[in-house]
Amino acid sequence: MTTAMGAALRRIQLGNALSAFGNGFTVPFLFVYVSQVRGLGASMAGFVMMTFAVSALTVLPFVGRVIDRRGPLPVAVAGTVAAAVGSLALGLASVWPLVLAAAAALGAGIAVVQPSLATMIVWCSTTSTRSRAFAMQFFLNNLGLGVGGLLGGQLVDTSDPGSFVRLFAIESVMFLVLGAMVATVRLPRAPKVEDKVPSGPTPQSGWRALVGDRAMVQLCVLGFVMFFACYGQFESGLAAFAVEVTRISPAMLGIALAANTMAIVVAQFVVLKLVERRRRSRVIALVGLIWAVAWVAAGLSGLIPGAPALATTLLISTYALFGIGESMLSPTMAPLVADLAPARLVGQYNSAFALVKQLALAVGPAAGGLMAGAGAYSAYIVLLVVCALGISVLALRLGRLLTAEQDNPVRAHARRVAAAGAAAEVPAARSVQEQGERAPVAV
């Protein structure tokens, strides 16, 4: 990496961390704000959550093409402005049409920002440094969310709507700070492709090339199962299981969520050193096994009602195991999407993977909520154990479609450097030998 690329990447990461810090002020309290503080009821709060997903699904199919044509920087700035306007409007809105309109603007803005930032990180990194860059982004996101949530909890007051206006105003300002920092970044004119991982012949069109890329299609299927079985269950099925079956208190559920964040923050860079030289497909397969153990632990926590301390420990362990798995995926999944993408379609591939994530995050809570509402908790746990094991199977199958450079770029880069050094030593040795042969012999 050049000095300019490193400086640009640091500015992007700092802005992203501040934006996550702002999100932490509002995300944990959004449901309570809509349903209780504004008095719109739980059903409207559910509609607001659905609006986030629908607005994201509406804009994401078009974002990738715009990123590849106009560059990620102007798209990211536009997304931050939309998100800032939506956040502030959500804090000021008191009737349901304005609340839904503000939620749509906020959801669309965030959906635009995510693939744009991912593309900027790709442009400012190389194949061998990309895993560490995305791991740092994930670490800062979780740290910012955690710190913001802690501070927001100290400021919030359900009897005072003005306290929520302050929270949404802070989030809005943080989005504008992200936009200002991104706008001052000096990006390279084109992605860093000197050591680009080969990905087959040059495609002719965006979506057609993506659908024709077997490895990318299988990665999207894997991503859908992954987000469905983990992220899509935190706020729906798993939370309902914890309260209704394991019988833990809402306060203890908050501790379990904190354990998830703490596991990510503590383990991220330790895990990075362990996985960055391993094959990506096998790392993802191992995550599937870890999550299967996590779901088994959650199921066991509901089978021992006579030992509440043990049941609570098992459930907190479930959230912590999910955090460890997430820390293994952050330096693996996003860099793999970037390395599969042709140089001129990086934005399209990032946008497509973000679209898959949003679909899973829309379907996952709905499925978890329906099964929890029907009381089918045993079937729910079995389904998610099967999904976790399916992640391992899909990851190993994906490994067969990847080249050595795509599956393990750090080791492949080291081999190329070693081979280049060995090739340079051979002519040098020959030159020394020839000079010795031509040297005059002293009498």
Side-chain angles (χ1 to χ4, degrees), residues 208-220:
R208 184 179 301 176
L210 194 150
V211 173
D213 189 338
R214 289 181 58 200
M216 184 60 188
V217 170
Q218 187 148 330
L219 181 61
C220 287

Side-chain angles (χ1 to χ4, degrees), residues 15-36:
N16 191 51
L18 292 173
S19 174
F21 173 72
N23 288 340
F25 277 88
T26 62
V27 169
F29 316 109
L30 186 58
F31 191 92
V32 174
Y33 167 72
V34 176
S35 62
Q36 298 181 16

Side-chain angles (χ1 to χ4, degrees), residues 200-290:
T202 302
Q204 296 183 355
S205 64
W207 285 105
R208 184 179 301 176
L210 194 150
V211 173
D213 189 338
R214 289 181 58 200
M216 184 60 188
V217 170
Q218 187 148 330
L219 181 61
C220 287
V221 173
L222 172 61
F224 181 88
V225 177
M226 187 176 298
F227 290 117
F228 174 89
C230 176
Y231 302 93
Q233 305 305 323
F234 274 3
E235 298 176 1
S236 59
L238 182 55
F241 183 90
V243 175
E244 298 293 332
V245 181
T246 310
R247 303 290 182 181
I248 70 171
S249 65
M252 192 58 66
L253 182 60
I255 293 175
L257 287 168
N260 173 262
T261 302
M262 185 61 65
I264 294 171
V265 171
V266 171
Q268 181 63 82
F269 293 103
V270 176
V271 168
L272 177 63
K273 290 183 179 181
L274 296 176
V275 305
E276 66 179 349
R277 292 187 174 273
R278 268 70 176 180
R279 294 177 59 179
R280 288 168 169 170
S281 57
R282 292 184 180 178
V283 171
I284 300 170
L286 180 58
V287 170
L289 295 178
I290 292 173

Side-chain angles (χ1 to χ4, degrees), residues 56-58 60-61 207 224 350-360:
L57 294 175
T58 302
L60 278 172
W207 285 105
F224 181 88
N350 280 323
S351 180
F353 195 74
L355 177 62
V356 168
K357 177 181 178 180
Q358 287 297 328
L359 283 171

Side-chain angles (χ1 to χ4, degrees), residues 19-107:
S19 174
F21 173 72
N23 288 340
F25 277 88
T26 62
V27 169
F29 316 109
L30 186 58
F31 191 92
V32 174
Y33 167 72
V34 176
S35 62
Q36 298 181 16
V37 177
R38 292 302 182 186
L40 299 176
S43 298
M44 184 53 61
F47 276 116
V48 169
M49 300 297 183
M50 184 177 68
T51 302
F52 283 123
V54 171
S55 61
L57 294 175
T58 302
V59 301
L60 278 172
F62 310 101
V63 171
R65 182 176 298 179
V66 179
I67 291 174
D68 290 327
R69 289 183 176 180
R70 303 294 182 184
L73 194 150
V75 179
V77 172
T80 59
V81 172
V85 172
S87 179
L88 185 58
L90 191 57
L92 296 173
S94 57
V95 294
W96 69 265
L98 294 179
V99 169
L100 290 180
L106 178 57

Side-chain angles (χ1 to χ4, degrees), residues 61-416:
F62 310 101
V63 171
R65 182 176 298 179
V66 179
I67 291 174
D68 290 327
R69 289 183 176 180
R70 303 294 182 184
L73 194 150
V75 179
V77 172
T80 59
V81 172
V85 172
S87 179
L88 185 58
L90 191 57
L92 296 173
S94 57
V95 294
W96 69 265
L98 294 179
V99 169
L100 290 180
L106 178 57
I110 293 174
V112 169
V113 168
Q114 289 177 348
S116 302
L117 287 179
T119 304
M120 293 175 75
I121 292 174
V122 172
W123 281 31
C124 294
S125 62
T126 65
T127 302
S128 57
T129 63
R130 203 157 286 148
S131 294
R132 189 166 292 273
F134 278 103
M136 176 62 76
Q137 182 197 33
F138 188 70
F139 168 81
L140 292 175
N141 269 339
N142 282 275
L143 183 62
L145 283 170
V147 174
L150 288 174
L151 294 178
Q154 304 301 314
L155 298 176
V156 71
D157 181 1
T158 55
S159 63
D160 179 17
S163 66
F164 284 88
V165 174
R166 285 193 293 272
L167 296 185
F168 283 103
I170 292 172
E171 182 184 40
S172 179
V173 170
M174 289 298 103
F175 277 123
L176 293 177
V177 169
L178 170 61
M181 297 193 73
V182 166
T184 59
V185 170
R186 293 185 178 181
L187 290 175
R189 291 183 178 273
K192 174 76 174 174
V193 295
E194 286 84 350
D195 55 350
K196 189 77 180 72
V197 174
S199 55
T202 302
Q204 296 183 355
S205 64
W207 285 105
R208 184 179 301 176
L210 194 150
V211 173
D213 189 338
R214 289 181 58 200
M216 184 60 188
V217 170
Q218 187 148 330
L219 181 61
C220 287
V221 173
L222 172 61
F224 181 88
V225 177
M226 187 176 298
F227 290 117
F228 174 89
C230 176
Y231 302 93
Q233 305 305 323
F234 274 3
E235 298 176 1
S236 59
L238 182 55
F241 183 90
V243 175
E244 298 293 332
V245 181
T246 310
R247 303 290 182 181
I248 70 171
S249 65
M252 192 58 66
L253 182 60
I255 293 175
L257 287 168
N260 173 262
T261 302
M262 185 61 65
I264 294 171
V265 171
V266 171
Q268 181 63 82
F269 293 103
V270 176
V271 168
L272 177 63
K273 290 183 179 181
L274 296 176
V275 305
E276 66 179 349
R277 292 187 174 273
R278 268 70 176 180
R279 294 177 59 179
R280 288 168 169 170
S281 57
R282 292 184 180 178
V283 171
I284 300 170
L286 180 58
V287 170
L289 295 178
I290 292 173
W291 284 357
V293 173
W295 283 116
V296 169
L300 291 176
S301 73
L303 298 177
I304 46 177
L310 179 59
T312 301
T313 301
L314 284 171
L315 195 72
I316 292 175
S317 300
T318 297
Y319 280 88
L321 287 172
F322 278 131
I324 293 173
E326 292 173 73
S327 67
M328 295 171 66
L329 290 176
S330 61
T332 306
M333 294 293 287
L336 182 54
V337 173
D339 288 344
L340 286 174
R344 70 183 186 90
L345 294 178
V346 174
Q348 188 87 58
Y349 274 56
N350 280 323
S351 180
F353 195 74
L355 177 62
V356 168
K357 177 181 178 180
Q358 287 297 328
L359 283 171
L361 293 181
V363 175
L370 288 174
M371 297 186 77
Y377 289 110
S378 298
Y380 174 73
I381 294 296
V382 170
L383 170 65
L384 292 169
V385 169
V386 171
C387 286
L389 295 176
I391 290 171
S392 299
V393 174
L394 289 170
L396 293 176
R397 291 185 60 186
L398 174 65
R400 300 173 188 170
L401 301 177
L402 302 176
T403 64
E405 289 82 1
Q406 291 166 341
D407 207 11
N408 195 338
V410 174
R411 182 168 293 181
H413 178 73
R415 284 199 298 265
R416 289 198 301 269

